[in-house]
């Protein structure tokens, strides 16, 4: 919460701007909303006026308050149902709400292809089909858009460690899967 208010340094006698001021005329993302150490309602109450009126109030160490523009695109990202985090009054102040669902199998393959291309790994359809049938479908794991990047990162790290070029193969995808989806 303190990163959302002015931070006065009594030794150097200067203020550091809060995060939302630094993001003015830009994008302010609160990722994994509801999982911070601060209560979601407390955080949301802090944003009520700025989101509604597009102004914020900051307080100097002397107690004097002043108004500043609040010109941010604020994005709350969460996988928790919004109704569990906020009340209707707050939801009204968030004008646009988008659900980013799990990708379809076709979308998942496209993401995987793009991740391979971005990392200079040749996409192998046979290996991808092996991944899908032996792991996702057999274990009934939902496709998540982050999985391709995470699995490819495991392949890249393993190749770097062992000193060989990264390759998408049944062996490397199996090792990546076993590292990523650990069974305890």
């Amino acid at each position: 919460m303190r990163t959302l208010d002015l931070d006065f340094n009594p030794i150097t006698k200067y203020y550091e701007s809060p995060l939302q001021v630094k993001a003015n005329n830009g994008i302010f993302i609160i990722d994994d909303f509801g999982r911070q150490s601060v209560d979601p309602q407390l955080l949301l109450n802090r944003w009520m006026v700025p989101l509604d009126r597009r102004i914020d109030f900051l307080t100097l160490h002397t107690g004097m308050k002043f108004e500043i523009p609040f010109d941010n695109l604020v994005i709350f990202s969460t996988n928790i149902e919004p109704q569990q985090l906020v009340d209707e009054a707050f939801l009204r102040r968030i004008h646009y709400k988008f659900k980013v669902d799990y990708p379809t199998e076709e979308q998942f393959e496209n993401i995987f292809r793009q991740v391979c291309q971005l990392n200079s790994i040749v996409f192998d359809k046979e290996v991808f089909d092996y991944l899908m049938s032996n792991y996702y479908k057999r274990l009934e794991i939902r496709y998540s858009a982050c999985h391709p990047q995470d699995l490819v990162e495991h392949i890249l790290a393993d190749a770097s460690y062992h000193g060989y070029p990264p390759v998408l193969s049944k062996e490397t995808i199996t090792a990546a899967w076993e590292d990523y989806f650990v069974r305890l």
Side-chain angles (χ1 to χ4, degrees):
M1 285 299 290
R2 68 177 192 53
T3 61
L4 302 179
D5 292 316
L6 284 171
D7 184 23
F8 180 69
N9 184 322
I11 297 168
T12 59
K13 307 257 190 275
Y14 80 93
Y15 289 94
E16 181 161 350
S17 297
L19 296 173
Q20 72 275 15
V21 173
K22 292 177 181 178
N24 251 343
N25 294 313
I27 300 173
F28 188 73
I29 300 173
I30 300 176
D31 195 19
D32 278 341
F33 181 64
R35 300 194 190 283
Q36 292 78 12
S37 58
V38 64
D39 176 43
Q41 288 298 323
L42 187 62
L43 183 61
L44 294 175
N45 286 336
R46 171 63 180 88
W47 290 100
M48 192 71 77
V49 170
L51 287 172
D52 192 39
R53 293 206 237 143
R54 311 304 293 166
I55 58 169
D56 198 1
F57 294 93
L58 299 179
T59 306
L60 299 173
H61 75 284
T62 61
M64 186 178 109
K65 289 186 182 270
F66 65 97
E67 178 181 314
I68 62 165
F70 185 86
D71 186 20
N72 298 319
L73 170 60
V74 180
I75 298 174
F76 295 93
S77 169
T78 186
N79 60 0
I80 301 172
E81 286 295 325
Q83 293 77 9
Q84 294 177 345
L85 296 171
V86 298
D87 60 15
E88 189 61 36
F90 192 81
L91 282 175
R92 282 195 312 269
R93 286 167 174 82
I94 301 175
H95 296 275
Y96 302 99
K97 300 155 200 81
F98 302 97
K99 181 177 183 179
V100 178
D101 215 343
Y102 292 93
T104 63
E105 186 172 337
E106 180 181 336
Q107 292 168 330
F108 188 75
E109 181 177 340
N110 286 335
I111 294 168
F112 210 100
R113 284 179 183 275
Q114 290 174 23
V115 169
C116 285
Q117 182 179 9
L118 288 170
N119 290 284
S120 302
I121 294 178
V122 175
F123 178 82
D124 185 323
K125 176 73 167 133
E126 184 179 318
V127 174
F128 179 79
D129 291 342
Y130 168 81
L131 171 68
M132 299 304 284
S133 63
N134 286 303
Y135 294 103
Y136 281 98
K137 292 177 181 174
R138 184 175 62 82
L139 300 172
E140 298 179 356
I141 304 285
R142 294 181 85 171
Y143 315 129
S144 181
C146 69
H147 289 172
Q149 180 65 43
D150 294 343
L151 291 169
V152 167
E153 282 179 2
H154 278 270
I155 292 170
L156 292 168
D158 190 61
S160 174
Y161 179 78
H162 289 101
Y164 59 80
V167 170
L168 183 63
S169 68
K170 290 181 181 179
E171 294 78 21
T172 60
I173 202 68
T174 297
W177 181 275
E178 290 172 356
D179 286 346
Y180 189 67
F181 291 98
V182 177
R183 290 188 187 187
L184 302 175

